[in-house]
Amino acid sequence: MSRVRRRHDAIQVQLPNTFNGIFPYVMRGRNESILYYPIKLDAGPLLAYVEASKGTDHEISLFEAGVICMVKLLRARPTLNRYVAGRRLWQRRDVVVSFIAKRAYSDDAPETNIQVTIRPHDDVKTLLAKVRGQITSVKSGEDGHGDKIIETFMKMPRFVLRTAVAAMRTWDFYVDTPGFLRGKDPLRCSVFISNLGSVGIDAPYHHLYEWGNCSVFMAMGKIHKDVVVGKNGRPAVADVLQLRMALDERICDGYYDARSLDLFEEYLTHPELLETI
């Protein structure tokens, strides 16, 4: 019997004896394996839910609703919560969400990466407390995840930095994430969420990062008016939310992706489902 391999954040999943099983060898990088999915939603129900929540114990923002929805999806569809490292497939133990927060809404305000780990026993209240706590810390001037490590590396001469990065890649491939990066590197996450709507622009198609092990990227755009199919089957103008997803094809097949995204849309168009994860 083969030994079950483990990393600090995941357990190995055996590759299938099918064409998909050879994907990590023939498609060695995430951007060789990337799939893009556009999602356009009638945001009316979600906006109404967010507005009704103001001043209550379960108040949430539009961005927080997106985070809750993604965590709920990754729990319900755990195959999406996998990654490829060392040509092997790994199943995460927790849901790890990364995103960027600006310390102020100005061109020259620094951006800081935030990483939140959601444990299997965490509920919505705990999730929101973790997200809000991290954002508050960053806006108060504290360093975000990995900021000090990056600052240290950027002081190195180029040849030293290149050698250090190559060494970390090799260690990650054959062993595990280097210890000093665990919980610090925002690109080692289940999903990276970019809320472009907060700065007034639409969602782009975003690449996956070759560094780290993030297999899902979600970009959220601004709310805007667009034509949708109304309740009577006729065209109607509504508030629309544009989302664009990037997924690593090596972690699951297209059918699983499609059913997962259908469920994702179900959550966002019936936001009362987001009261539990």
Side-chain angles (χ1 to χ4, degrees):
M1 181 180 294
S2 61
R3 177 174 62 90
V4 177
R5 295 182 175 89
R6 301 177 187 275
R7 288 167 67 94
H8 78 283
D9 60 350
I11 187 170
Q12 186 183 5
V13 178
Q14 290 299 320
L15 292 166
N17 294 322
T18 62
F19 185 58
N20 285 31
I22 204 170
F23 277 1
Y25 293 89
V26 299
M27 296 188 293
R28 294 174 294 174
R30 289 181 184 83
N31 288 295
E32 270 188 282
S33 317
I34 199 167
L35 294 173
Y36 292 112
Y37 291 95
I39 300 174
K40 187 170 78 170
L41 298 170
D42 179 349
L46 182 57
L47 290 174
Y49 184 83
V50 169
E51 183 65 27
S53 75
K54 291 181 178 178
T56 69
D57 292 338
H58 61 275
E59 180 174 350
I60 63 170
S61 67
L62 191 65
F63 171 70
E64 289 169 345
V67 173
I68 295 170
C69 182
M70 183 54 68
V71 172
K72 188 177 180 76
L73 178 68
L74 290 171
R75 284 184 172 181
R77 306 286 286 175
T79 301
L80 286 178
N81 198 18
R82 293 178 175 180
Y83 64 86
V84 173
R87 305 286 183 264
R88 293 177 176 141
L89 185 62
W90 305 89
Q91 178 70 56
R92 291 184 184 277
R93 298 185 182 91
D94 303 311
V95 176
V96 183
V97 180
S98 291
F99 55 93
I100 292 175
K102 285 184 74 71
R103 293 184 177 176
Y105 287 109
S106 64
D107 290 345
D108 56 355
E111 292 183 337
T112 298
N113 288 291
I114 292 176
Q115 186 181 75
V116 179
T117 298
I118 310 301
R119 308 293 184 190
H121 57 272
D122 287 346
D123 58 12
V124 171
K125 184 177 180 180
T126 304
L127 183 159
L128 290 175
K130 288 183 175 182
V131 170
R132 292 167 181 172
Q134 291 288 346
I135 293 174
T136 299
S137 295
V138 166
K139 289 188 178 297
S140 67
E142 293 184 21
D143 290 328
H145 289 87
D147 286 351
K148 290 182 179 179
I149 294 175
I150 293 173
E151 183 179 349
T152 299
F153 276 115
M154 293 307 295
K155 292 178 180 177
M156 296 178 177
R158 285 181 298 172
F159 76 95
V160 176
L161 181 56
R162 288 181 62 190
T163 301
V165 170
M168 287 186 288
R169 286 187 185 276
T170 301
W171 186 265
D172 191 38
F173 186 95
Y174 289 105
V175 184
D176 200 346
T177 301
F180 68 92
L181 290 177
R182 298 176 188 179
K184 301 286 195 303
D185 185 349
L187 298 183
R188 299 176 190 276
C189 61
S190 306
V191 56
F192 202 108
I193 301 176
S194 181
N195 183 20
L196 279 304
S198 65
V199 293
I201 60 176
D202 209 349
Y205 287 107
H206 200 287
H207 62 91
L208 294 173
Y209 295 96
E210 297 299 343
W211 178 264
N213 53 31
C214 178
S215 298
V216 182
F217 195 106
M218 180 175 78
M220 299 177 64
K222 65 179 180 180
I223 301 293
H224 62 280
K225 297 291 185 182
D226 206 343
V227 178
V228 300
V229 178
K231 293 182 179 179
N232 58 3
R234 295 183 178 180
V237 176
D239 289 312
V240 166
L241 173 61
Q242 180 75 60
L243 303 168
R244 290 193 166 97
M245 310 282 288
L247 305 175
D248 187 339
E249 183 183 10
R250 299 172 298 175
I251 63 172
C252 54
D253 60 41
Y255 182 84
Y256 193 94
D257 285 344
R259 300 290 73 76
S260 299
L261 294 177
D262 285 345
L263 184 59
F264 185 77
E265 291 190 41
E266 179 76 8
Y267 292 155
L268 284 175
T269 53
H270 297 84
E272 65 278 4
L273 296 176
L274 302 183
E275 294 177 7
T276 61
I277 53 172

